[in-house]
Amino acid sequence: MKRLLTANTLLVLTVSLFEARAVGQTPVQYREMLSTYCTGCHNSRAKVGGLALDGLDLSAATDNAETWEKVLRKLRGRLMPPPGSPQPKQQEVDSFSAWLENTLDASAKGPKAGHVPIQRLNRTEYAASVKALTGVELKATDVLPQDGQVDGFDNIAAALTVSPAFLSQYIAAARQVAKLAIGNPNPRVGSTKYAIAANSNPDLPLPLGTRGGIRFNHNFPADGEYRITINDLGVGIYASALENQSTLVIMIDGKIVFRNTIGGPEDWPLHAKGPKGRAKIMERFQKIPVQVEAGVHDVVVAFIDRSHVESPHNIADPFFDALTIVCSCAPPGRRNKLVDGVVVAGPFNPTGVSRTPTRDLIFVCDPKTKGEPPCARQIAENFAHRAFRRPVTGDEITRLMRFYEAGRKDGGSFDQGIEQVVAAVLSSPNFLYRGIWGAPARPGAAPTTEASADLALTDLELATRLSFFLWNTGPDEELLKLAEAGGLTKPGAMEKQVRRMMADPKASSLVTNFAMKWLNLDSLDSVKPDPVLFPGFTDQLRRDFSKEAELFVSSILLEDRNIVDLLTADQTFLNEELARHYGIPGVLGPQFRRVTVTEKQRFGLLGKAAVLMRTSYADRTSPVLRGAWVLDKLLGTPPTPPPPDTATDLSQKAGEQPKTVRARLEQHRNKASCNMCHGVIDPMGLPLENFDAVGAWRTVDSQAKAPIDASTVLPNGLAINGVVELREQLAERPATFVTAVTERLVMYAINRKLEYFDMPQVRSIVRAAAKENYKLSSIVLGIVNSDAFRRQAPEPAANVASTK
């Protein structure tokens, strides 16, 4: 009976064939290849790039593993030999790379793990940990400063420096969180304004059947009356917004607490009275009283959506909005909508603080039944245990009780004492920092040699590292209990926890905090397309770009699909506006939904507007930025940055005949010194030229009035044309892409930059994942079972000496 082989099985066989052939080769044969293509520049005399290969012994490649790992990385992206030099065939490169990888992996020398210094929680980890501990949601960017980044990641220990300013902001944040979590039965009256633009959050869409409003989460500090004011509903000098009657509702946690109408025949006479009449209309939407219990609640202020015309075409509000851009006399919209946001004030006549989700996480006992001091001690122990991610000592509880006692002085309540305890725990170094000291040596164990001086992480340290890796926060109760019992390092326990944690919604942090940062898509706000050249681009479209990318990546990673689908998947997530931008019909409404696309140019990451806009300038595309992005993110071979004095301005002089970006780039590529880099970078970006600077498809350059030429010759000599053929070439070598992803994921997991000695482990993880169809779970399991994840090297001697 014949067996049907899947594409991945054939791929594994092909790779194995290359490796088998490589094993049969000898260092002498590869030395000839190096002499022909490499040592003319990389020799002891010229030493171009600080590299000399002629003095290295290939038969003892592991003695110079750090150098050979650099060679492998250059070959992976065909960065060397440089364009214009004689090039080996791709088969020769593959054979040599496979032989060298096998040699380095089979007899790797040196350390198996690196050293990760004690590290501070970054602001996203802090916010996630605070939410898990107290239920309080913080917007990290509002309360804490920007963290240092390494390769786009803000969780790398070496970059998480500390200053007095940092510490003061963490302490201020801890006090704010404690107040919000505990609540105040007699708070001062306060008010908060929620602006429309600042709260246009795609993660909080308006409920179905509503329109023209705003949705937000508001923290009500105590039970009592609150007053909601709506300042502007578009009631101006024109009466068109009042032509038809509309119904405005206020909803709290999905329940309608206020309903009133505006517009229609009843309001026409009032509008005719001028400003006083318009003010009279708006009085019904001022200081609307609502009774709310303490806690964070979902608030919606919006209009009930009803048809007001037979067809929205030609007279829809977006038409008037667009017309207003070019004509100040454009007529107003025909329907009311919130213009100036919503103000929430209160509480008035507070009646105390009822049970809230945040209080339930903290108050694990009732002081009325257990007694106040014993209950306070139990609360302190439970909260510190969860926050410190380990059992707490009696001395630590005693110190925390001093904060409770300080809060009770001068007639302070039990709640005020607990508030001080919560603030103290959240300000403690035991919460703000995490470190690795390793398991203590067993009595009678032989002394370690320098080569084996690295230490195994304890179960608790493993639990913390695993939880911050997958969830961006500390361990939950199940994982913490397992680690405290020493069960996490037992056979099968780690895999069980990994699969449980990846199925949890908190695993979405792998998308928001790993993938979006790896792909450099977490900062789309930094790109400001020229409004003259791209008048149809809006801030909402920018948010749609980001939402599509996040949903697309989630569908691959969190559904545990083959991660090569990130390159090739024919499904994406669209709403009406984004589908119109892409020219895809049949998608209606603001909600995102999964869509199968038929246009191959939109498959995978290379067809996503977020990627294409992020790798463009405000007024034009950039094959250089796009090519560098492909090399760095998808191949794991970042090109060398240009020298500081390199001319990168491709703008055209006034009056000059407009040229395509490709034609302007030729000025750089015609110079040999420039072509050494551009000859590698540009061929990876030119196939994307059919996409403009905001990701729309085009066949003609609108400024140069010339057809788009997306053809190129890749560094390996293969001629391709357009994004579809580029994607096919990338997908034909899946191990290269998976290796690039795995490198970054290992870096994210262990909180340090990778070293040459980590690469054999990376390749081992990728080879094992190939047998599991390159699923994310197989890569994660490979990482958490690696020495790089489970062990810690001693602190480098230079660092130890500098602290003495």
Side-chain angles (χ1 to χ4, degrees):
M1 182 178 180
K2 293 183 179 180
R3 293 182 177 180
L4 296 177
L5 297 177
T6 65
N8 279 315
T9 306
L10 289 172
L11 176 65
V12 171
L13 290 176
T14 303
V15 172
S16 301
L17 180 60
F18 265 122
E19 293 179 349
R21 288 178 178 174
V23 170
Q25 301 292 329
T26 66
V28 174
Q29 292 168 299
Y30 292 124
R31 171 61 64 190
E32 293 175 357
M33 189 186 83
L34 293 175
S35 297
T36 302
Y37 299 107
C38 305
T39 55
C41 295
H42 300 295
N43 56 63
S44 302
R45 181 185 301 176
K47 211 170 185 179
V48 174
L51 178 64
L53 299 178
D54 57 338
L56 301 184
D57 184 3
L58 266 180
S59 61
T62 53
D63 293 341
N64 302 103
E66 186 171 5
T67 297
W68 290 117
E69 289 291 354
K70 293 178 181 177
V71 171
L72 281 171
R73 189 174 299 279
K74 294 290 186 181
L75 291 175
R76 190 198 307 174
R78 291 303 297 257
L79 304 181
M80 288 290 164
S85 302
Q87 299 287 328
K89 295 179 180 179
Q90 187 64 50
Q91 187 174 354
E92 293 179 276
V93 173
D94 290 339
S95 177
F96 174 67
S97 297
W99 175 85
L100 187 54
E101 287 177 356
N102 288 337
T103 300
L104 294 174
D105 296 351
S107 53
K109 297 180 180 180
K112 300 293 185 183
H115 178 79
V116 180
I118 188 171
Q119 69 183 96
R120 166 179 59 82
L121 298 186
N122 65 29
R123 63 183 182 181
T124 55
E125 291 170 339
Y126 181 89
S129 297
V130 161
K131 182 180 179 181
L133 290 169
T134 68
V136 173
E137 290 199 49
L138 284 178
K139 190 174 181 181
T141 55
D142 289 345
V143 296
L144 295 173
Q146 174 70 52
D147 296 298
Q149 296 187 353
V150 178
D151 291 344
F153 297 127
D154 57 6
N155 70 336
I156 305 305
L160 293 171
T161 56
V162 181
S163 69
F166 262 87
L167 290 178
S168 65
Q169 286 176 286
Y170 272 91
I171 292 172
R175 290 171 177 162
Q176 177 185 349
V177 170
K179 287 182 180 293
L180 293 173
I182 302 301
N184 184 349
N186 293 293
R188 295 179 179 178
V189 174
S191 65
T192 304
K193 181 175 181 178
Y194 293 91
I196 297 294
N199 291 277
S200 297
N201 187 348
D203 294 327
L204 289 174
L206 291 176
L208 292 175
T210 62
R211 63 162 185 85
I214 187 174
R215 184 174 188 172
F216 53 88
N217 290 325
H218 180 75
N219 182 67
F220 296 85
D223 302 351
E225 178 185 303
Y226 292 82
R227 296 169 187 171
I228 298 176
T229 296
I230 304 161
N231 290 321
D232 192 346
L233 291 173
V235 180
I237 60 174
Y238 294 102
S240 56
L242 302 177
E243 181 178 333
N244 298 302
Q245 186 181 81
S246 300
T247 301
L248 182 135
V249 296
I250 298 176
M251 304 169 68
I252 296 180
D253 294 334
K255 181 181 178 181
I256 295 177
V257 296
F258 172 82
R259 177 195 297 260
N260 210 332
T261 61
I262 183 172
E266 294 179 1
D267 283 335
W268 295 346
L270 283 173
H271 184 273
K273 294 180 179 181
K276 291 184 178 180
R278 294 196 294 271
K280 187 70 175 177
I281 293 173
M282 289 303 300
E283 277 184 11
R284 70 189 75 151
F285 303 104
Q286 307 292 305
K287 298 180 180 180
I288 302 165
V290 293
Q291 292 291 326
V292 188
E293 291 186 348
V296 177
H297 296 280
D298 175 55
V299 181
V300 173
V301 182
F303 289 93
I304 294 176
D305 193 14
R306 293 193 179 97
S307 298
H308 66 296
V309 290
E310 181 178 348
S311 169
H313 296 298
N314 297 327
I315 62 169
D317 290 343
F319 168 78
F320 297 118
D321 293 339
L323 186 58
T324 303
I325 296 174
V326 296
C327 177
S328 61
C329 60
R334 291 175 177 266
R335 295 201 289 178
N336 296 101
K337 61 183 179 181
L338 268 68
V339 177
D340 190 38
V342 173
V343 176
V344 180
F348 300 90
N349 305 314
T351 58
V353 178
S354 57
R355 288 189 61 175
T356 65
T358 59
R359 288 176 63 88
D360 287 345
L361 286 169
I362 296 170
F363 289 87
V364 293
C365 58
D366 186 348
K368 295 179 181 178
T369 58
K370 187 162 187 171
E372 291 189 348
C375 183
R377 190 174 185 90
Q378 183 179 344
I379 289 172
E381 182 175 5
N382 175 270
F383 190 70
H385 179 206
R386 294 164 55 221
F388 296 171
R389 304 172 288 273
R390 58 167 175 78
V392 290
T393 66
D395 288 343
E396 289 173 325
I397 300 304
T398 300
R399 287 195 292 272
L400 288 174
M401 288 299 292
R402 294 173 189 161
F403 289 93
Y404 166 76
E405 292 161 3
R408 297 300 307 268
K409 284 183 180 179
D410 301 323
S413 67
F414 180 81
D415 283 9
Q416 288 173 315
I418 296 302
E419 181 183 317
Q420 294 301 312
V421 171
V422 171
V425 169
L426 297 181
S427 302
S428 169
N430 293 300
F431 168 66
L432 294 175
Y433 293 86
R434 52 192 178 107
I436 298 172
W437 288 270
R442 296 188 303 274
T448 59
T449 64
E450 184 176 349
S452 61
D454 54 296
L455 300 171
L457 273 64
T458 66
D459 279 62
L460 283 168
E461 289 167 346
L462 270 178
T464 295
R465 174 171 273 187
L466 176 65
S467 187
F468 276 98
F469 171 29
L470 298 182
W471 285 351
N472 204 42
T473 187
D476 65 354
E477 184 178 4
E478 178 177 331
L479 182 59
L480 196 56
K481 282 185 177 179
L482 181 66
E484 288 172 356
L488 188 56
T489 50
K490 291 183 179 179
M494 179 67 83
E495 179 175 354
K496 181 179 178 181
Q497 287 300 310
V498 166
R499 296 195 183 279
R500 176 184 74 88
M501 294 171 72
M502 290 187 68
D504 189 282
K506 290 194 289 289
S508 62
S509 68
L510 285 171
V511 176
T512 55
N513 292 296
F514 165 67
M516 296 296 280
K517 292 179 179 179
W518 153 53
L519 296 168
N520 199 23
L521 300 180
D522 62 324
S523 55
L524 287 186
D525 287 345
S526 63
V527 183
K528 309 289 185 183
D530 189 324
V532 175
L533 296 175
F534 305 102
F537 182 82
T538 63
D539 285 338
Q540 182 58 51
L541 194 58
R542 183 200 310 277
R543 290 189 287 270
D544 290 344
F545 287 178
S546 183
K547 186 68 174 179
E548 179 202 17
E550 189 174 318
L551 290 172
F552 172 73
V553 173
S554 296
S555 72
I556 306 298
L557 300 187
L558 302 186
E559 293 175 15
D560 209 18
R561 294 162 57 184
N562 186 328
I563 64 170
V564 180
D565 286 353
L566 288 169
L567 297 178
T568 61
D570 64 352
Q571 291 185 329
T572 190
F573 294 80
L574 303 174
N575 64 2
E576 182 174 354
E577 186 171 358
L578 185 54
R580 186 185 304 115
H581 183 73
Y582 284 171
I584 297 175
V587 179
L588 303 176
Q591 287 77 27
F592 277 82
R593 78 294 311 263
R594 192 187 298 257
V595 175
T596 299
V597 294
T598 56
E599 300 82 359
K600 290 187 176 182
Q601 64 265 24
R602 290 293 176 189
F603 288 8
L605 286 169
L606 294 180
K608 301 295 174 281
V611 171
L612 298 160
M613 186 177 77
R614 189 65 186 85
T615 53
S616 297
Y617 291 113
D619 59 344
R620 65 172 178 84
T621 60
S622 174
V624 178
L625 292 181
R626 289 175 174 178
W629 187 90
V630 171
L631 287 168
D632 183 16
K633 310 301 181 184
L634 306 186
L635 297 178
T637 57
T640 305
D645 58 346
T646 301
T648 59
D649 185 12
L650 294 182
S651 59
Q652 301 179 107
K653 297 178 182 178
E656 184 180 12
Q657 179 67 30
K659 297 179 182 178
T660 64
V661 172
R662 183 190 188 102
R664 286 180 259 171
L665 273 176
E666 293 298 334
Q667 300 170 11
H668 289 272
R669 300 181 64 182
N670 286 337
K671 301 176 183 178
S673 59
C674 296
N675 192 49
M676 290 181 65
C677 293
H678 280 278
V680 176
I681 299 172
D682 297 359
M684 294 295 182
L686 286 170
L688 303 176
E689 271 297 276
N690 279 116
F691 297 109
D692 69 13
V694 294
W697 184 259
R698 60 180 183 168
T699 57
V700 174
D701 187 311
S702 60
Q703 296 181 58
K705 302 295 188 293
I708 295 294
D709 180 3
S711 64
T712 190
V713 177
L714 297 178
N716 63 6
L718 181 67
I720 64 170
N721 190 354
V723 60
V724 175
E725 294 185 12
L726 174 62
R727 181 186 303 110
E728 290 172 352
Q729 288 303 308
L730 294 172
E732 280 184 6
R733 308 177 71 82
T736 299
F737 173 66
V738 177
T739 299
V741 178
T742 303
E743 280 188 67
R744 296 300 176 91
L745 192 56
V746 173
M747 177 180 172
Y748 176 81
I750 64 178
N751 312 114
R752 65 172 173 84
K753 290 202 71 170
L754 298 197
E755 303 287 348
Y756 72 92
F757 52 77
D758 295 307
M759 290 311 299
Q761 295 182 65
V762 169
R763 289 189 287 267
S764 176
I765 293 168
V766 172
R767 283 192 287 266
K771 301 173 185 177
E772 300 293 329
N773 201 32
Y774 291 130
K775 292 181 179 179
L776 177 66
S777 60
S778 64
I779 297 173
V780 169
L781 286 170
I783 291 172
V784 301
N785 287 314
S786 68
D787 286 337
F789 189 88
R790 288 180 170 244
R791 304 189 72 83
Q792 166 90 319
E795 186 175 3
N799 292 352
V800 174
S802 66
T803 59
K804 292 183 178 179

